[in-house]
C-alpha cells in the first residue's frame, strides 16, 4: 500500500504563485510516473501535467508556460509550481503516482488539495 500526502493548496490572487507538494510513502520499490490532475466544480478530472522517472514532462495546453512539475526521487516527492495563476485554475488538485511496489504496478491518488484563485 502507498500513501500520498499533499500540501500547499490555498487561496491566491490572480497573477500570483503557489507551490503544491505531494509525498509518497509505503511499499515503494520504484516510482514511475508522477503528476497532478485537477477537478473544477461540475467538470471532469483533467490532466495538469506528469513527469517520468527520467524527468520528461508533459503538460496540458492550458498550463504550459505557467506551471512546472518537478520531482525529488530521494524523497518520493512531486511538486507543482504554479505561476501566473488565473481564476480558471481554481480546482481541487490531485497528486497521482504510478508505483512498482515489488508485487505489481499500481496507480495511487492523493486526497486532493483545494486551490482557489481570486480575481
Amino acid at each position: 500500500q502507498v500513501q500520498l500526502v499533499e500540501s500547499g493548496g490555498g487561496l491566491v490572487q490572480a497573477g500570483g504563485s503557489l507551490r503544491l507538494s505531494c509525498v509518497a510513502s509505503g511499499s515503494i520499490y520504484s516510482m514511475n510516473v508522477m503528476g497532478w490532475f485537477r477537478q473544477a466544480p461540475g467538470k471532469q478530472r483533467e490532466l495538469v501535467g506528469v513527469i517520468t522517472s527520467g524527468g520528461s514532462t508533459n503538460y496540458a495546453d492550458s498550463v504550459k508556460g505557467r506551471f512546472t512539475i518537478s520531482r525529488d526521487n530521494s524523497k518520493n516527492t512531486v511538486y507543482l509550481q504554479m505561476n501566473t495563476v488565473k481564476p480558471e485554475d481554481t480546482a481541487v488538485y490531485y497528486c497521482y503516482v504510478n508505483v512498482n511496489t515489488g508485487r505489481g504496478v499500481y496507480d495511487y491518488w492523493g486526497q486532493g488539495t483545494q486551490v482557489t484563485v481570486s480575481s
Side-chain angles (χ1 to χ4, degrees):
Q1 190 74 314
V2 173
Q3 296 78 41
L4 302 178
V5 178
E6 300 157 342
S7 60
L11 176 64
V12 60
Q13 286 191 333
S17 297
L18 208 59
R19 190 192 195 205
L20 306 183
S21 301
C22 174
V23 181
S25 62
S27 302
I28 300 171
Y29 178 76
S30 64
M31 194 76 73
N32 301 323
V33 174
M34 306 178 80
W36 294 89
F37 288 69
R38 68 186 182 186
Q39 187 167 16
K43 295 187 177 181
Q44 290 189 330
R45 189 173 298 188
E46 64 176 8
L47 169 74
V48 175
V50 293
I51 183 168
T52 69
S53 57
S56 297
T57 56
N58 186 37
Y59 297 96
D61 288 342
S62 58
V63 306
K64 281 181 181 176
R66 300 188 298 120
F67 291 8
T68 302
I69 289 181
S70 60
R71 60 192 283 171
D72 185 335
N73 292 327
S74 67
K75 297 179 179 179
N76 288 330
T77 300
V78 62
Y79 305 97
L80 179 66
Q81 178 66 44
M82 306 168 61
N83 296 330
T84 319
V85 296
K86 304 175 181 180
E88 51 263 44
D89 294 322
T90 295
V92 177
Y93 283 70
Y94 295 91
C95 173
Y96 160 82
V97 298
N98 179 264
V99 176
N100 183 345
T101 66
R103 294 189 173 187
V105 178
Y106 302 95
D107 295 329
Y108 292 93
W109 295 87
Q111 79 283 0
T113 185
Q114 177 70 47
V115 172
T116 303
V117 182
S118 62
S119 57

